Amino acid sequence: MAVQALYALQNGFMGFEKSGLFFGERSGERVRIPIACYLVRTSDTTILFDTGLSPRAVPGLLRTDSLATFTEADLLVNRLDSVGIEPENVDVVVLSHLHFDHAGGAFLFSKSELVAQQDEYAYASYPAGFFSGFYYKKNFDLPGYRWRLLDGDTEIVPGVTVLRSDGHTPGHQSLLIELPQTGPVILAGDCCYWQESIDKEIPPGVVWDPTRAMHSIKRLKTVARLMNGRIFPSHDPVFWASALKAPDAYH
Ligand SMILES: [Zn+2]
């Protein structure tokens, strides 16, 4: 039961206001940000972290967002295929949270165990008005699918651990992966949008509770420091440009 590889899967790009990325930012500037999913392989388990956009959402996004790009290769099924994986080969899907750019592909995994925090699932089902544009019930209201709803930190398999990192949303979670050569990597999800969010401890501009969001950034930094690990931010174009992308992998 050993962790073997971590693949970064590109799921297109979209435009986003800087004011949505950084709490307190007032600039109306829009920037192009990557949408990413990650696949973790252990000796006996295949785990996906986040599922990107729903393919149903892509045409509308391309029509209304001049910064959005999305190629055939960016489809999650094609990214998985590039590393020899079909959706039915994925044992566990860990969803950082249920926003549309993270939970949009969950429907592809009818055979997998879908893992979210219980508080996230409950809130996403009945979000506050200010957040309702980020949650689409169709993405996670999936009758007959196998959900595992967590309440806090949880070891998924040895070397792969969910870390609760709420604040961006009420039940946000990150994923710690203990890789044999690279060392520990924390997939932050939207706890940390950019490297700047980590360095300056700036909560997301899109946020449920900025104080908890800041505490979660500090917590991930502490775990990374104590374990001598790295944090991968979710939507950082500079980080993404230099990240190893599938079919290459971190080992
Ligand atoms: Zn989000």
Side-chain angles (χ1 to χ4, degrees), residues 25 40 54 56 65 76 98-99 152 156 187 195 202 217 223 251:
E25 169 78 46
V40 183
S54 169
R56 288 187 307 264
D65 179 350
L76 181 54
L98 298 176
H99 279 171
I156 301 297
L187 305 176
Q195 183 62 42
I202 311 171
I217 295 169
V223 173
H251 294 280

Side-chain angles (χ1 to χ4, degrees), residues 23 166-168 203 207-218:
F23 192 81
D166 52 28
H168 172 57
V207 70
W208 169 71
D209 181 333
T211 302
R212 280 161 85 151
M214 182 193 65
H215 291 164
S216 291
I217 295 169
K218 288 171 182 275

Side-chain angles (χ1 to χ4, degrees), residues 51-62:
T51 62
L53 292 168
S54 169
R56 288 187 307 264
V58 171
L61 188 73
L62 291 175

Side-chain angles (χ1 to χ4, degrees), residues 16-23 25-31 194 196 205:
F16 209 63
E17 293 75 26
K18 279 198 110 176
S19 58
L21 292 171
F22 300 109
F23 192 81
E25 169 78 46
R26 292 287 173 256
S27 145
E29 187 194 344
R30 295 181 86 242
V31 288
W194 283 21
E196 188 179 343

Side-chain angles (χ1 to χ4, degrees), residues 96-97 99-102 131 134 168-169 172 190 193 206 235:
S96 63
H97 61 310
H99 279 171
F100 68 90
D101 54 330
H102 296 261
F131 244 167
F134 289 87
H168 172 57
T169 62
H172 191 279
D190 285 356
Y193 275 147
V206 172
H235 292 295

